[in-house]
Amino acid sequence: MSSKDHKKNETDHEEQTATEMLDKIPYAELQKQLTAAEEKVNQHWERLLRQQAEMDNLQRRVERDVANAHKYALEKFVLELLPIVDSLERAVTTHSNEESGAGSLLDGVNLTLKMFYTALEKFGVQQVDPITQPFNPELHQAVSTQVDCDAKPGSVIAVLQKGYLLNSRLVRPALVIVAK
């Protein structure tokens, strides 16, 4: 007998054995096994769908985190530059009533300050200078309140320190005095 014939006989024998077993197993038992198999398949399918949804959510979350990391990577750097801008603004305010001529120190400070503003704007940094605007606790930090007959109650009457936003997210609130 050749190996092909031998394999064919084995296959025929296995099929015959399987058919005999099916004949011996009652229909109710087969139905029960089929139902159990279908439930198992459904459980695996639901698990697969949940895992796929979880992977999709994870991918979106990672993409959002990477985008935010790129968008707000400059936050620490900006926070380090803001005291320099504040000092330049105070220098200009303090010496604003002095005469300025060609090549004066005040003109140089003003130009430097303008360069800072331009550089900050270029990288998505915006000033929050809320003078005469209504007080907004999300953008402003009230240092005190004062009575002011000319201003509406709840409006900002003085800005002690400008606030800043980086790509529309608050980096530093504006320190303000609010009208009573």
Side-chain angles (χ1 to χ4, degrees), residues 42-114:
N42 287 336
Q43 288 172 354
H44 287 293
W45 180 251
E46 289 174 12
R47 184 175 173 198
L48 175 71
L49 289 177
R50 279 194 304 275
Q51 287 178 341
Q52 182 65 39
E54 189 175 318
M55 289 300 296
D56 291 344
N57 289 338
L58 179 64
Q59 183 178 2
R60 281 192 292 273
R61 193 168 37 249
V62 167
E63 287 172 357
R64 185 183 64 234
D65 290 347
V66 167
N68 283 339
H70 286 280
K71 196 172 184 181
Y72 302 114
L74 294 175
E75 186 170 355
K76 288 181 182 179
F77 184 65
V78 168
L79 283 171
E80 291 296 320
L81 288 178
L82 293 182
I84 298 168
V85 173
D86 294 338
S87 295
L88 291 171
E89 287 175 344
R90 276 193 294 277
V92 168
T93 303
T94 303
H95 299 286
S96 63
N97 55 358
E98 294 178 9
E99 275 189 40
S100 63
S104 76
L105 185 61
L106 185 58
D107 288 341
V109 172
N110 270 323
L111 288 174
T112 304
L113 189 57
K114 286 179 185 176

Side-chain angles (χ1 to χ4, degrees), residues 64-79 82 123-128 138-139 163-174:
R64 185 183 64 234
D65 290 347
V66 167
N68 283 339
H70 286 280
K71 196 172 184 181
Y72 302 114
L74 294 175
E75 186 170 355
K76 288 181 182 179
F77 184 65
V78 168
L79 283 171
L82 293 182
F123 289 98
V125 179
Q126 303 161 329
Q127 284 187 0
V128 177
E138 293 178 7
L139 299 175
Y164 288 89
L165 301 169
L166 173 60
N167 295 316
S168 302
R169 184 167 92 179
L170 186 66
V171 175
R172 184 179 80 182

